[in-house]
Amino acid sequence: EDKVVQSPLSLVVHEGDTVTLNCSYEVTNFRSLLWYKQEKKAPTFLFMLTSSGIEKKSGRLSSILDKKELFSILNITATQTGDSAVYLCAVDSINTDKLIFGTGTRLQVFP
Amino acid sequence: DVKVTQSSRYLVKRTGEKVFLECVQDMDHENMFWYRQDPGLGLRLIYFSYDVKMKEKGDIPEGYSVSREKKERFSLILESASTNQTSMYLCASVQGAHYGYTFGSGTRLTVV
């Protein structure tokens, strides 16, 4: 059965800290891995990763995929209170046209 | 700005009621999805649709049905609401490849 596992489930840090969020997956015929940020309402798209070893970067956020070890990490440097959210990882399979989501990592950044 | 609009942010319904959750997108997307989100379980797919009048079961379709009469509108129907259907419901749409699913703001449904 296809599955996506995120860790940790919850993380509490202070502003300025650097955090690493993990996502591992087991999916038949992997196509892509996506990261979303969900604050109080709709998840918003962050990154899509399809190739191993190529870092995607947007400001203080970056992500990389390892297709051999079947995981991805999302790094946030110099965290700010506005980074507080649930971060969702999802994987897309060639076999289906639907995303499989992990349970998310809840990040809380305190001043 | 492109949008997915869910008609209600919060709903409270009684057990046994028929409940309609509406989702409208203005991006001419072909693919639309309904998820429910519960603590510790993440997002789980209920139903999805690739085209008008077309629907496919997701991972947890029991107790739900859907309707897609027009391309822009995808409705989720709880035929007889039960307390275990209390949840956050998220609608999403995408055109083709799955980067950039656009989500609606969600409907928090409470069944009492």
Side-chain angles (χ1 to χ4, degrees):
Chain A
E1 183 183 334
D2 295 340
K3 65 178 181 180
V4 177
V5 178
Q6 291 186 247
S7 64
L9 291 180
S10 182
L11 195 53
V12 180
V13 300
H14 286 103
E15 274 191 318
D17 288 351
T18 293
V19 297
T20 298
L21 310 183
N22 303 293
C23 176
S24 63
Y25 62 90
E26 293 177 25
V27 172
T28 305
N29 293 326
F30 171 89
R31 176 159 56 189
S32 63
L33 184 145
L34 300 94
W35 284 98
Y36 288 86
K37 177 183 181 183
Q38 185 179 21
E39 295 174 86
K40 290 186 180 175
K41 5 183 218 184
T44 54
F45 172 76
L46 293 175
F47 299 112
M48 182 181 75
L49 303 154
T50 56
S51 302
S52 275
I54 299 175
E55 186 183 54
K56 292 279 182 94
K57 197 169 173 65
S58 176
R60 296 176 293 104
L61 277 66
S62 63
S63 184
I64 197 161
L65 174 68
D66 186 326
K67 289 169 74 173
K68 182 179 176 184
E69 300 297 329
L70 307 182
F71 78 92
S72 173
I73 60 172
L74 175 68
N75 278 322
I76 309 175
T77 59
T79 52
Q80 302 171 358
T81 55
D83 295 326
S84 296
V86 174
Y87 290 85
L88 297 167
C89 173
V91 174
D92 178 23
S93 165
I94 294 170
N95 291 346
T96 70
D97 283 315
K98 52 185 181 177
L99 292 180
I100 303 160
F101 282 86
T103 54
T105 293
R106 180 174 295 279
L107 174 66
Q108 293 176 277
V109 182
F110 287 98
Chain B
D1 198 13
V2 295
K3 280 174 66 172
V4 176
T5 302
Q6 292 182 233
S7 53
S8 305
R9 287 294 310 279
Y10 300 95
L11 275 180
V12 180
K13 296 291 182 180
R14 294 195 180 277
T15 301
E17 278 193 77
K18 189 169 186 176
V19 181
F20 292 86
L21 303 183
E22 304 288 346
C23 176
V24 178
Q25 50 98 358
D26 64 1
M27 297 163 285
D28 202 34
H29 284 171
E30 292 177 350
N31 304 334
M32 297 186 74
F33 304 81
W34 274 106
Y35 288 88
R36 63 178 283 177
Q37 185 175 29
D38 301 288
L41 297 175
L43 273 74
R44 293 180 291 166
L45 182 65
I46 305 171
Y47 266 98
F48 58 105
S49 170
Y50 291 142
D51 203 350
V52 175
K53 296 191 185 294
M54 178 276 175
K55 60 185 178 184
E56 292 280 348
K57 292 181 180 179
D59 300 315
I60 51 164
E62 297 78 17
Y64 303 95
S65 62
V66 290
S67 172
R68 193 156 181 211
E69 297 296 318
K70 294 184 178 181
K71 191 175 185 180
E72 66 271 18
R73 185 181 296 270
F74 191 36
S75 303
L76 179 69
I77 304 156
L78 286 66
E79 297 291 343
S80 177
S82 64
T83 54
N84 64 12
Q85 291 178 310
T86 292
S87 186
M88 169 68 87
Y89 290 87
L90 287 164
C91 174
S93 74
V94 68
Q95 180 71 16
H98 288 286
Y99 58 91
Y101 261 32
T102 301
F103 283 89
S105 296
T107 296
R108 186 166 292 282
L109 173 67
T110 302
V111 182
V112 297

